[in-house]
Amino acid sequence: MAEFDEINRKITIKLVYYGPAMSGKTTNVMQLHDMLAPDLKGEIMTLETQNDRTLFFDLLPLGFRTQSGWLIKFKLYTVPGQVVHDATRKAVLSRADGVVFVADSQRSQGINNSESFQNLEDNARRVGLDFDVLPLVVQFNKRDLPHILSETEIQDRWSAAPWPLVFASALVGTGVKESFIKLLEAVYPALNKAFSLQETHQIGMSAFIRAVVGEPDGNPG
């Protein structure tokens, strides 16, 4: 649940990149950091395990001010994919407002993807998140590699899933911003319901997304 700070007129939203080890979660966040407007983002912070794998990764503060003067602030995290760091994954996932699940498109990674997605569902329930309504986007990354599942195969396998699917090559930036925007689209309705973004702060979904990604204003959303 987003943090509401009435005294400082600030709403803080937590978004998490989840997935198996080496699927490209950190690469997604670093590419996104490069894509966003400089005045929107803070410094990248990262902590690493002894073998240089990600233990905890914090990209932001990232944010913007509404016309009503409120600061809408985001914190983007990645979780460590290694099995031994499950406690850290649960801690990072706690109170998340939305998740991008980063899967590895390589045929050899099917079991790892499945186990990690099941781990996401299990941990979401353990930390009190309602997985059935949790805003979620599934990204199949590493489309630039050989021996990957075709888009048709993936779409067939996930045809019954309710979440948006995005195909990406985070190493070159393809699909990174699209995944983030899809997540913002999924997150906005709950935020609007909780904080009256449209009514109180005069910011609809499209304006909200433009403000977050730093695109020029068009017609109000």
Side-chain angles (χ1 to χ4, degrees):
M1 182 64 184
E3 298 175 19
F4 179 75
D5 183 347
E6 188 170 11
I7 295 176
N8 294 306
R9 297 167 63 83
K10 181 172 66 176
I11 299 171
T12 303
I13 300 156
K14 182 178 185 180
L15 304 176
V16 175
Y17 282 71
Y18 209 99
M22 305 297 290
S23 63
K25 302 177 292 297
T26 297
T27 306
N28 259 274
V29 174
M30 294 186 72
Q31 286 281 10
L32 191 59
H33 180 269
D34 290 342
M35 294 174 180
L36 296 176
D39 58 340
L40 293 174
K41 60 195 178 187
E43 296 293 327
I44 296 177
M45 294 183 288
T46 184
L47 297 176
E48 296 178 337
T49 61
Q50 291 181 340
N51 61 358
D52 292 334
R53 298 286 184 81
T54 303
L55 171 62
F56 175 87
F57 189 99
D58 183 0
L59 166 66
L60 300 172
L62 160 71
F64 68 93
R65 286 199 180 274
T66 67
Q67 293 182 2
S68 56
W70 279 69
L71 174 63
I72 308 295
K73 183 178 178 182
F74 292 82
K75 292 182 178 179
L76 271 66
Y77 294 88
T78 65
V79 301
Q82 297 90 330
V83 175
V84 296
H85 296 306
D86 195 47
T88 303
R89 279 196 295 278
K90 282 189 288 188
V92 174
L93 186 62
S94 178
R95 300 182 65 82
D97 297 291
V99 174
V100 174
F101 180 80
V102 182
D104 190 323
S105 294
Q106 296 179 95
R107 291 185 177 277
S108 60
Q109 297 302 309
I111 293 177
N112 288 337
N113 289 334
S114 297
E115 291 179 346
S116 181
F117 194 83
Q118 184 61 55
N119 179 257
L120 167 62
E121 183 173 356
D122 293 343
N123 278 343
R125 300 191 191 286
R126 287 172 184 143
V127 300
L129 297 175
D130 186 346
F131 189 74
D132 295 331
V133 299
L134 177 68
L136 176 66
V137 173
V138 178
Q139 180 199 87
F140 272 84
N141 190 27
K142 301 190 177 183
R143 304 303 300 169
D144 52 307
L145 295 183
H147 311 303
I148 59 176
L149 294 168
S150 70
E151 291 189 8
T152 300
E153 287 176 296
I154 292 170
Q155 288 168 340
D156 286 345
R157 293 182 184 186
W158 287 76
S159 61
W163 311 288
L165 286 177
V166 180
F167 298 96
S169 299
L171 198 60
V172 297
T174 306
V176 170
K177 199 170 185 178
E178 182 183 0
S179 300
F180 186 53
I181 289 174
K182 289 288 186 185
L183 183 60
L184 294 176
E185 290 173 347
V187 166
Y188 178 85
L191 295 175
N192 187 40
K193 182 178 180 180
F195 305 115
S196 302
L197 295 181
Q198 174 77 66
E199 183 176 352
T200 302
H201 303 288
Q202 296 80 51
I203 184 164
M205 180 187 288
S206 60
F208 172 79
I209 293 171
R210 288 197 304 272
V212 177
V213 301
E215 293 180 348
D217 289 340
N219 294 324

